[in-house]
Structures are given as structure tokens and as C-alpha cells.
């Protein structure tokens, strides 16, 4: 597979953790039975790999978009709903929302010239905040794991060092980063 965006990179629990969602929600959207083994519904998203189920970066973005739509549903019920369209491109489904106003959730996804997602900035302070875009998930960097934007330093590594007792300033110096970048990486890891 030439394009890392379509490679099966993530397990269901990993995807759920990166997006701050219950794994049961991700399973349901994939049409997989939950822990109660009840019959699964029709899948909204087709995973990149199976046996075991593995999700691609494109799947991760699709789930992020669905999650954002789901979370916005109540707030938007008071305003014009806009249009939701699904587009299939080379077997990959894309969900796109056109709203009457700008929606900060969708500004967190960057696209290539063809309109395909290439990276996105997950929420670090909980859904609904105008978070700084200091943590990024990019399938071409660090095997698609969350990193500090522009550095390639995994957020999980930074968080482990801080949890181990190192000072934020020392970790920032080691990676030639600002303290605010280290703090945001730790905030993200604690939130997910």
C-alpha cells in the first residue's frame, strides 16, 4: 500500500483513545457487536483491515467527523442544519459537512489538493474548545501516532517523562521545544 493514509494502523481501542470516544461507539459505527454481543447494526465506516479489525488514518478522520457531527447535533438543532454529503473515492468513504457558518471542528482537518485528509489536530482540552493546534496526527509521521506538531515527538513519550518526575522545562529543552508545547502534549495524553 503506497499511501499511508489507507494503511491499517489503529486498533478500535487505540482509535477511541486518540479521539476521546468510548470504544463501544467506535465499534457500533463499524457495525461490530459490543461486549454484550447484541447484533450489530449496519456499518457507517468500513475498516481498512480485518481479523483483527484495524483502522486507517482515513477511518480515524471519518470517525472524528462523525463524532463532531454527533456532538454538534443538539447545539445545531437550534440553527439551520446545513447539508451532509457522503462521497466515495477509490473505495474510501468521506463524510463532509457544509454548515451555514464556520465550524471549528472541521478546521482541525488539513486536506491535500484533491481534498483528501492528510493530517488532523485532535482536541487537547476536551471537545468544544478552541484548542491550540499543537498536537497532530499525521500518517506520514511517527506511524500515525499523536505527536507535537512540527517536531515528530510523540505525546506519549513526553507524558511518560513528565509522569516519571521530569520537569517540563527540562523536557522542553531536550527536544528544543517551548514549554507550552510540552504542556499541551501532556494535557492531550491526560485527556485521552
Amino acid at each position: 500500500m503506497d499511501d499511508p493514509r489507507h494503511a491499517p494502523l489503529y486498533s478500535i481501542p487505540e482509535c477511541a483513545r486518540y479521539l476521546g470516544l468510548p470504544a463501544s461507539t467506535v465499534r457500533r459505527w463499524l457495525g461490530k457487536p459490543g461486549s454484550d454481543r447484541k447484533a450489530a447494526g449496519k456499518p457507517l465506516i468500513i475498516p481498512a483491515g480485518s481479523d483483527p479489525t484495524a483502522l486507517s488514518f482515513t477511518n480515524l478522520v471519518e470517525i472524528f467527523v462523525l463524532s463532531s457531527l454527533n456532538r454538534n447535533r443538539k447545539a445545531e438543532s437550534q440553527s439551520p442544519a446545513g447539508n451532509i454529503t457522503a462521497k466515495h473515492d477509490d473505495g474510501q468513504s468521506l463524510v463532509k459537512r457544509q454548515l451555514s457558518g464556520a465550524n471549528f471542528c472541521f478546521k482541525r482537518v488539513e486536506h491535500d489538493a484533491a481534498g483528501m485528509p492528510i493530517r488532523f489536530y485532535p482536541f487537547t482540552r476536551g471537545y468544544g474548545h478552541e484548542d491550540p493546534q499543537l498536537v497532530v496526527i499525521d500518517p506520514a509521521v511517527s506511524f500515525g501516532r499523536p505527536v507535537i506538531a512540527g517536531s515528530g515527538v510523540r505525546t506519549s513519550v513526553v507524558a511518560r517523562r513528565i509522569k516519571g518526575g521530569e520537569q517540563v522545562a527540562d523536557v522542553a529543552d531536550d527536544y528544543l521545544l517551548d514549554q507550552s508545547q510540552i504542556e499541551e502534549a501532556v494535557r492531550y495524553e491526560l485527556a485521552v
Side-chain angles (χ1 to χ4, degrees):
M1 184 168 293
D2 293 336
D3 191 337
R5 294 177 292 188
H6 306 304
L9 300 172
Y10 312 101
S11 67
I12 291 173
E14 194 174 26
C15 173
R17 186 173 92 70
Y18 291 163
L19 298 175
L21 294 170
S24 60
T25 299
V26 175
R27 277 189 199 89
R28 187 175 69 247
W29 290 344
L30 295 171
K32 303 287 183 190
S35 59
D36 59 4
R37 297 292 181 213
K38 288 184 178 177
K42 193 172 185 177
L44 298 175
I45 295 171
I46 306 302
S50 60
D51 198 26
T53 300
L55 304 169
S56 67
F57 171 78
T58 302
N59 293 147
L60 191 72
V61 172
E62 289 173 325
I63 293 167
F64 174 74
V65 170
L66 282 174
S67 171
S68 297
L69 290 172
N70 193 42
R71 289 174 174 165
N72 279 336
R73 187 174 42 154
K74 286 185 181 180
E76 291 176 359
S77 66
Q78 303 298 325
S79 63
N83 299 316
I84 299 174
T85 59
K87 173 184 173 187
H88 294 275
D89 187 5
D90 297 331
Q92 300 293 323
S93 65
L94 299 176
V95 177
K96 187 175 183 179
R97 175 94 175 181
Q98 299 170 342
L99 299 172
S100 56
N103 190 316
F104 68 93
C105 301
F106 304 102
K107 291 180 183 178
R108 303 186 74 79
V109 179
E110 290 183 18
H111 299 85
D112 63 14
M116 295 293 293
I118 54 174
R119 71 184 58 84
F120 86 98
Y121 300 86
F123 293 108
T124 56
R125 300 178 183 193
Y127 180 82
H129 292 87
E130 284 287 341
D131 297 357
Q133 295 184 352
L134 298 178
V135 173
V136 66
I137 297 177
D138 182 332
V141 178
S142 196
F143 301 102
R145 299 313 182 256
V147 297
I148 297 171
S151 74
V153 177
R154 285 191 185 187
T155 58
S156 60
V157 171
V158 169
R160 276 195 301 270
R161 288 185 63 181
I162 299 300
K163 187 176 180 180
E166 294 187 55
Q167 298 298 311
V168 170
D170 295 335
V171 175
D173 287 344
D174 287 349
Y175 293 116
L176 303 175
L177 296 169
D178 293 333
Q179 288 186 36
S180 62
Q181 292 172 292
I182 301 299
E183 291 166 350
E184 204 66 27
V186 173
R187 184 177 288 115
Y188 171 73
E189 285 294 324
L190 292 176
V192 295

